[in-house]
Structures are given as structure tokens and as C-alpha cells.
Amino acid sequence: MWAIRMARRTATMAARLAVLSTVRHYENGGKGMTSCIRRPVDRRENEGRLLRSPHVSLPLLVAVCLTAAFVLSATSTALAWCGGVHLWAGEQATWLFRQGLPDPTCISRNPEWPIFPELLQQSYGWDPESSYDPGDPEDKTWVYENWDWIKRCSMKADDAVPSTLNHFWLMEEGLHDDPGYGTYNSWEKTYWLWIAACEAWHAGDLGWAYTNLGYCMHHIQDMLQPAHSNQDLHPGQGLVGGDDAIEEWFKDDAAIAMYSWDGSTGPPPGPEIPWPSRLADDNSDLLNDILNAGYWDAGSSYPVSDVADFLALADPSLPYNMQKFFYLLYWANQFGNYFASDDEDGVSNDYDPTGWLEGYPGFPPALPGGSSIHDWHGLIDNDDTCEHGNPTGRCRNDECDCDGDLTLISTWCYGGTFKVSPLLIDLFRRTVDGVPPVTTAEVTRLDGEPVVEWNNSPVTVQLIDATDYGNPGFRVSNVWKIWGLCDGNPPANYDAPSWGISEDGKHKVECMSTDMCGNVEQDQDIEVWIDMTPPEVTFPDLRPNYLTSENFIATWVATDAHSGVASEYALLDDVQEVTKGQVIDLAEMAGEHWLRVIAYDVAGNYADVFYYFEVFIDANSWARPVLDSDKTKGKGMFCAVEFPAPYDVRLIDMSTCTLAVGGTLDLTADDPVVGALAVLQAERMTGVGDSDGDHIRDRMLRFDKEQFVAALSGQVGDIPAVVRGGLLPDGMPRFLGVVTVPVFAPGG
């Protein structure tokens, strides 16, 4: 059976190639008008399992069997880019999503985890080494991690002879291949592979889903090989010649030899190739640009059915993100199509319907040895022996690159595989599941009170569960990890994320639960505001000392660094409620007082602050002149003290009375009398009288004149002084009197 099956496959390919050589549009000027029938991909076909072609009869198969066997035994199946290139590009693309790296298309808020966790999950599938004849579809006993399915199957899409014909697409020929070929072009084939991958994922058959995604990756990478995007079938035109020059030269370890690169350190060195730029939108403008450029219209030689299919492709409601998928294939196709291949000129970028290749950064103007980048004659010398031996190690596998054209093509096109491959994976995960989970959090206060906007008790935030959501019509990928960060910091316990928050300030817990497709929750932030510090109350405009002749203005400043002041309340002496800025007459308030301010902040903390001050009786005082002479009659000097109403000089307690010689008043100081040269204690006090005849009672206090004169150290003139004292019975309230003492020198 194996021999019969292989003979039938071999004959079928030969027949198809024979038909192909006679119907290619640029050889006979036209295409067949019969539309190729599209059908869903059967899993049992596994990307290319041979079905008997309706266009090739069994007698024809028998007739060409032996001939084809001889021809194909001398040629090799087209391994576009060779298996090694598919391996390296596929492994690198999956590696980007397996590591904790920044997501190139939607920056993850949690770089600590892999971008696409499902790639690390193991799945059952058919043996990729024999996937073109899987046998019983239920006999899926091979197990790989999903990234490995992608990598392995990105290498295996060429393993059946007729399948190779599915890997070419000259875009100018339309969306469909001529049905006379008995096969699909790359776009047609990949269209169904993409659908198969998406539907298998939805059914939970991940091994099959990532198998087909690997096949899709292979096809897209093939579009960056100029022979494939120029529809330059190889081996050679008309089944002659060997493999394609760029493939033959670049296979095996060429990437390592050229770039000192083994697939583990990122994309290879070379030009910085811009990412495809239009993947983020619905691409309808791009598709309409192509349509309006004149391709596939009813007036052309291409099938009218292409127009209808293209209009359907331009419909933004097309499922499975088919527009974006088409754009990736289109981008790769036009990129590879820019360069020549063995038997075909590269297609001039004048033919590019959207013009995006015009002025593409860094594109070379010509191949070495050719008149332009599109001149395939520039590749003719690659099959010749290098005239100068192999001085730079550029001759491999009977292909020489002394003029550098193969290096030039491989650098640009091979580098392009490292742009499009990860974008394909990213498009797939967002197509099947682009919706993140939603975290359930429990937020509590330590004191048991309800959590409010501003809290004056420590708060605990615990992430207890998450519910995953999916794209419409798809299953969910399920939650991979319940996760979050508090002020950018991870939880102490990774398996049960929680944070105890007690530091004053505004805190943010970012819920970042992630599903198996790597969708990270972005929109749920839990704000926790803590303020356990009471407000601060200050009295910048008050003094510790006042006189009964003044007013007291009740002023204070209440501030709060976090939640803000909510209310302020003030009392004078705990009796009289006062308002901020209230003016209080002190005429009858001599004595000690306090202003009490109670301020609450929004969080409920409060400050209860007292400001103490003293009101002195503003006494009217004067002194008799003093003669600075030993002959001064008597030893005493006298100061009069007179009080304003309602205070009574009869209550003066002489034992508390002093005279500050040279002193002045500073009511802002704790002790209002400053600068005294000496402080004299009162010796005697007269009875109540009216020494100045103003009908206000006063009393005279006598101080030691010799001590006064001694304190002056010879000073004469008007000497400032302050007399003060207290009233019976306990020395309160107190009085202050500013005195000017005339002092004369002998003979003055």
C-alpha cells in the first residue's frame, strides 16, 4: 500500500507540473476561467494529505508514474528556505512568547511572566514526522508543548510532493490558482489552514490547532523566499535543474556561518526591517486600495469570481481576523516578490498596488552583477565556480556568492521571517482569545469598619479569584494566573496575592490576572487611600502675651498632608465658641487664657490643640527723677502705678512687684520684658492716692536708688524701665507698666 500511495503521489505531482508548464498565464497569455471549488479542510488531510485530484485521471497517473519517478528521483522536493530556516525562525518566534519579554504589540504590564502561557502547555497530536498520513484521527499519542508543535510543523509543511505546489503565489494572478493545476496557491491553502487552526482551538484540540498554525507559519515564511513569491516553481522550469539557488546556498548551517547566529540570541544581524505597519487596523482601506488598483476586475483576464471573493475579503465582519491574516501573507509576499529568483525577474514595485514598497527604508537598488534588483540575470553566475576560490567562505552546496547577491537577498528576506513569524503567533492568540480575565478582590480594614475613600486604619487587599472571558463565538482560554501589583510591587505570596497597606498616601493595586493566551487584565485598578496621621494645627499669627488695651484675633491654620481637613472647631477657655478671625476685646480679660482648636481630616483623624496666652493689665506708670549723686537726699526712688477700670490698685501684691532697669516690652517673647540691666525688687508701697491729680487712684512703689544708679554704670538721661507685678490673693492677673526714669548728673 505504501508503494502504491507513493507512486500515486509522485505521478500526481508530475502530472500537475506538466499541466502547470502549459497553462501558466505568462506563457499562454491567459488563465482558466473555471473557479476553484473551496471546501473546509478535513483533519484527516493534515495540511496536505493527498486526495485524488479531479483533474488527473487514473490512466494518466499510471502513464506518467514511471517517468515522474525517474525525474523526481533526480530532483528534490522544494524546501523553501530549507528546514533549518523554518526551524530557526519558528523557534525564535515562539521563544519571544515563552519568555518574560515585553510584548511587541501590546505591552504587558507584567514582564515577569511569559507572554503566551498556553505555548508551554502540553497537547496531544499526530506524529509530525508522518502527519500527511495520520491514520486514525483519534490516535493522537504524540505529546509536545504547543510551541514545539508550531516549530516542528513549520518545518514539515513541505513533506508531501503535491503539497509543495501550494507554496507559491504570484499575487498579480489573483486570489485563486487556475483550477487546471489541480492544486491551490499559497493564499488559498493557508486560508483554510488558518480557519482549521482557529476552529481546532475553539474545539479544545490544541495539538491540531498549533499544528495548523505551524503550517501557516511555514507558508508565510515561504512568501519571503523570492522564488515562491515570483511563482518560480522549482526544481527549475519544466522539471529541470536543481533546487533554487538561494535555498541551496542557504540551507544547513548557512545562517550560523553567515551571521554567527544559532537561533537563541534574537534575530540575526543585518538591516533593521520595519514591522508590518497596518496589522492594528481592519485593513479594509488596504484591501480596497488593491481592488481599486485594477486587479481582478471584470474587465481583466482574471476570473470574475475573484472579484466577489476579494470583496468578501474586504468585509470587516469576516471571521477569524482574516483581513489581518491576509495582510501578513501579503506583506511577506510583496517583500519577497521585490527580489529576483533563479528563473524569474523580481516584480517591479511599480506593480505593487498599494505602493508601500516605494522608498522602503534601506532597500538596495540593484543586485550585484544585475541592472536592477529585479534582474534574474544577476543570479546566473551562482552555479559557476568562484573564479577566486572561496576566499570569504561564500561558496556552499555548489552555489557561489562571490558577488554578494545571495547574501543581499538572504539578509533582507531571511530577516523578514523574524518580523512576520511572531506577528502571526500574536495575531492567532488575539483571534482566538483577546479578552483578559476579571479579578475578584476582597478589600477589608483592620478595624473592621467599612472601607471608604480615605481610611484611617490599615487595609488588606486580597485577590481571591478571577473569571476569564473570551472573544464572541469562542471558548475562553481559562485563567492562567491570578496576579497583581501594589504600587508596582509583587505580593509576598505569589500563590495567594495580597497586600497589607498601612503607609499614608494613595496606593494602587493593579489587577493583572492573566489567561492562557496571555491577555493581561488592564482595566481594574483598586485604589486604596490611607491617612492615619491627624491634621496639623498651628498659630503663626498669635503671641504668648497681650495687653488689656489690645484685641485678640482668633486665628489658626489647620492642614492635612493626605486626605485634607474636613472640619475645624475652636473654643476660648473651653467656654466660648469662636470662629476663625473673630476679634475679642481684652479690656476685661486680664489673666491666663487658651485657644483650643479641634480639626478633623477626611479620614476621621483629629487634632485637639491648645494655644496658651496671657493678658497683662496695661498699667499707666511714671517715675520721679533721680539725681546721680552721693548727696542725693534719701535712698529711695519711686514709681507710680495706675490701672484702667475695672482693675483695683488696692489689690497690688507688693511682694510680686519688680522694676526692670533698662528693660523694654516684647510681647512675642515668652517673657515679655527683655533687655533689663537689673531687676529691682519693690521695698515699700504707699497707700492708695492720686499722685498725678487725674482722679484715678494710684499707688507708689519704692525701689533701692543706689542699686538703680549702679545698674546704669554712669548712664544719664531718660532711662527705660518696666514695672510689673501681680494682684492679691495669688499674684494673678499681672500688670505691666512702661516707665521712663529721668536721670541727672551732678550739676546737670
Side-chain angles (χ1 to χ4, degrees):
M1 291 300 295
W2 178 88
I4 294 174
R5 187 161 56 243
M6 287 304 299
R8 180 169 293 179
R9 290 183 179 181
T10 303
T12 301
M13 181 183 182
R16 290 178 177 179
L17 288 173
V19 173
L20 179 61
S21 67
T22 62
V23 299
R24 292 191 63 182
H25 83 282
Y26 46 76
E27 292 181 357
N28 64 8
K31 288 187 62 175
M33 298 300 291
T34 305
S35 176
C36 184
I37 299 174
R38 293 192 173 188
R39 52 177 174 72
V41 171
D42 190 321
R43 291 184 176 217
R44 293 180 174 86
E45 292 178 13
N46 200 9
E47 199 282 326
R49 186 184 179 195
L50 177 62
L51 294 181
R52 187 169 173 180
S53 170
H55 304 290
V56 182
S57 66
L58 184 58
L60 178 59
L61 290 177
V62 175
V64 301
C65 179
L66 294 177
T67 302
F70 279 109
V71 172
L72 294 178
S73 67
T75 59
S76 59
T77 301
L79 298 175
W81 278 131
C82 305
V85 174
H86 290 293
L87 165 66
W88 294 324
E91 183 166 352
Q92 174 68 15
T94 59
W95 181 81
L96 290 172
F97 289 91
R98 288 179 275 138
Q99 305 300 314
L101 301 176
D103 186 330
T105 57
C106 180
I107 300 301
S108 171
R109 297 202 298 176
N110 183 19
E112 191 167 346
W113 308 121
I115 295 173
F116 193 174
E118 191 171 84
L119 293 186
L120 300 175
Q121 180 180 344
Q122 290 186 334
S123 298
Y124 283 91
W126 288 295
D127 176 11
E129 298 296 329
S130 60
S131 58
Y132 293 96
D133 190 9
D136 186 352
E138 302 302 322
D139 186 23
K140 297 184 294 184
T141 58
W142 290 78
V143 180
Y144 294 107
E145 291 185 351
N146 291 326
W147 71 268
D148 214 355
W149 282 111
I150 297 174
K151 181 193 74 172
R152 290 173 182 272
C153 293
S154 71
M155 298 169 54
K156 307 307 293 185
D158 270 320
D159 280 2
V161 170
S163 173
T164 317
L165 300 179
N166 297 326
H167 294 231
F168 297 83
W169 182 35
L170 184 65
M171 195 194 73
E172 283 72 35
E173 294 188 357
L175 294 183
H176 301 311
D177 212 337
D178 190 309
Y181 296 178
T183 187
Y184 299 134
N185 65 31
S186 191
W187 160 244
E188 291 179 278
K189 187 65 180 179
T190 315
Y191 175 95
W192 291 110
L193 291 172
W194 178 254
I195 292 176
C198 294
E199 292 183 349
W201 188 94
H202 179 57
D205 191 350
L206 298 186
W208 185 242
Y210 290 107
T211 291
N212 279 282
L213 184 60
Y215 294 151
C216 289
M217 181 177 291
H218 182 109
H219 276 266
I220 288 183
Q221 291 169 351
D222 272 358
M223 293 298 96
L224 285 149
Q225 213 279 29
H228 284 249
S229 50
N230 287 324
Q231 198 153 311
D232 182 0
L233 297 185
H234 49 283
Q237 286 295 319
L239 300 179
V240 295
D243 219 354
D244 181 75
I246 189 69
E247 286 188 7
E248 185 71 15
W249 179 77
F250 203 67
K251 69 182 182 181
D252 302 327
D253 62 349
I256 299 175
M258 283 180 57
Y259 303 114
S260 299
W261 180 84
D262 62 3
S264 64
T265 57
E272 178 58 32
I273 301 172
W275 292 92
S277 60
R278 298 182 66 166
L279 189 62
D281 58 32
D282 65 10
N283 300 121
S284 58
D285 291 340
L286 168 78
L287 298 171
N288 286 324
D289 286 344
I290 299 174
L291 184 64
N292 294 331
Y295 291 96
W296 315 314
D297 60 314
S300 74
S301 61
Y302 302 131
V304 176
S305 60
D306 280 349
V307 176
D309 286 320
F310 194 87
L311 289 173
L313 185 60
D315 182 358
S317 64
L318 199 65
Y320 305 131
N321 276 327
M322 192 60 72
Q323 290 181 328
K324 297 178 182 179
F325 177 71
F326 174 84
Y327 176 62
L328 287 183
L329 193 74
Y330 165 81
W331 182 89
N333 178 277
Q334 292 296 281
F335 204 106
N337 182 243
Y338 180 84
F339 295 92
S341 59
D342 266 14
D343 298 311
E344 294 296 329
D345 290 348
V347 176
S348 169
N349 48 7
D350 292 338
Y351 294 105
D352 174 44
T354 61
W356 71 272
L357 283 175
E358 295 288 353
Y360 198 80
F363 259 6
L367 287 175
S371 61
S372 75
I373 201 72
H374 312 294
D375 185 1
W376 71 270
H377 297 286
L379 300 178
I380 288 178
D381 65 339
N382 293 316
D383 291 325
D384 299 331
T385 302
C386 184
E387 296 178 358
H388 307 289
N390 189 20
T392 59
R394 288 189 172 186
C395 293
R396 286 189 298 275
N397 303 313
D398 297 326
E399 301 292 340
C400 289
D401 184 42
C402 291
D403 59 3
D405 48 8
L406 297 182
T407 297
L408 181 69
I409 295 174
S410 65
T411 298
W412 279 94
C413 293
Y414 179 47
T417 65
F418 290 89
K419 296 296 185 181
V420 74
S421 298
L423 285 180
L424 175 67
I425 295 175
D426 192 65
L427 178 61
F428 178 76
R429 70 183 181 117
R430 299 191 186 284
T431 298
V432 296
D433 186 353
V435 183
V438 175
T439 302
T440 300
E442 185 176 81
V443 186
T444 58
R445 282 174 49 137
L446 183 62
D447 60 6
E449 294 294 321
V451 176
V452 292
E453 182 181 41
W454 280 101
N455 301 273
N456 61 357
S457 173
V459 172
T460 297
V461 178
Q462 184 174 5
L463 309 184
I464 59 176
D465 198 5
T467 302
D468 195 22
Y469 296 88
N471 292 346
F474 277 91
R475 67 174 178 87
V476 299
S477 62
N478 294 319
V479 175
W480 175 67
K481 184 174 288 293
I482 300 172
W483 188 249
L485 298 175
C486 180
D487 299 333
N489 299 311
N493 185 345
Y494 279 27
D495 296 324
S498 66
W499 299 266
I501 305 172
S502 59
E503 183 179 346
D504 281 358
K506 293 183 177 181
H507 304 272
K508 179 189 292 184
V509 174
E510 298 173 283
C511 294
M512 299 167 58
S513 293
T514 306
D515 64 17
M516 295 297 292
C517 281
N519 298 295
V520 180
E521 187 176 10
Q522 303 268 348
D523 300 329
Q524 183 180 189
D525 294 333
I526 300 173
E527 299 283 349
V528 177
W529 297 355
I530 301 292
D531 183 0
M532 296 195 297
T533 303
E536 181 179 358
V537 179
T538 59
F539 305 90
D541 297 326
L542 298 186
R543 309 192 308 256
N545 304 290
Y546 288 85
L547 299 174
T548 54
S549 58
E550 296 181 293
N551 292 324
F552 175 82
I553 301 176
T555 60
W556 66 90
V557 176
T559 58
D560 189 80
H562 300 292
S563 63
V565 176
S567 63
E568 305 168 52
Y569 179 76
L571 293 171
L572 184 62
D573 300 334
D574 281 338
V575 175
Q576 179 185 355
E577 182 177 353
V578 297
T579 59
K580 185 177 288 188
Q582 182 174 338
V583 178
I584 301 171
D585 186 356
L586 300 178
E588 298 182 8
M589 294 184 60
E592 293 180 327
H593 300 275
W594 62 89
L595 178 65
R596 181 183 184 184
V597 176
I598 303 171
Y600 283 85
D601 63 20
V602 174
N605 306 296
Y606 72 92
D608 190 352
V609 183
F610 294 80
Y611 189 87
Y612 295 94
F613 62 96
E614 183 175 355
V615 179
F616 290 85
I617 300 171
D618 189 2
N620 183 23
S621 300
W622 63 93
R624 291 177 179 174
V626 173
L627 181 63
D628 185 5
S629 170
D630 292 338
K631 298 180 179 180
T632 299
K633 184 177 182 181
K635 295 183 179 180
M637 62 163 293
F638 294 87
C639 289
V641 177
E642 183 179 275
F643 289 166
Y647 305 105
D648 191 349
V649 294
R650 292 178 298 177
L651 298 178
I652 294 176
D653 181 354
M654 189 193 72
S655 66
T656 65
C657 296
T658 61
L659 179 68
V661 181
T664 58
L665 287 184
D666 182 359
L667 298 178
T668 65
D670 290 336
D671 185 344
V673 180
V674 298
L677 301 174
V679 178
L680 309 181
Q681 183 68 40
E683 299 177 329
R684 302 225 179 171
M685 182 172 62
T686 66
V688 176
D690 184 9
S691 60
D692 59 352
D694 61 359
H695 306 292
I696 299 176
R697 291 182 291 186
D698 58 34
R699 301 183 76 169
M700 303 289 291
L701 293 170
R702 194 184 86 167
F703 300 92
D704 188 296
K705 186 181 71 171
E706 290 183 358
Q707 293 181 7
F708 178 85
V709 172
L712 296 179
S713 301
Q715 294 184 59
V716 295
D718 293 336
I719 303 300
V722 178
V723 59
R724 65 177 168 179
L727 305 187
L728 296 171
D730 55 5
M732 293 297 291
R734 297 192 291 177
F735 64 88
L736 289 171
V738 176
V739 182
T740 299
V741 182
V743 177
F744 300 97

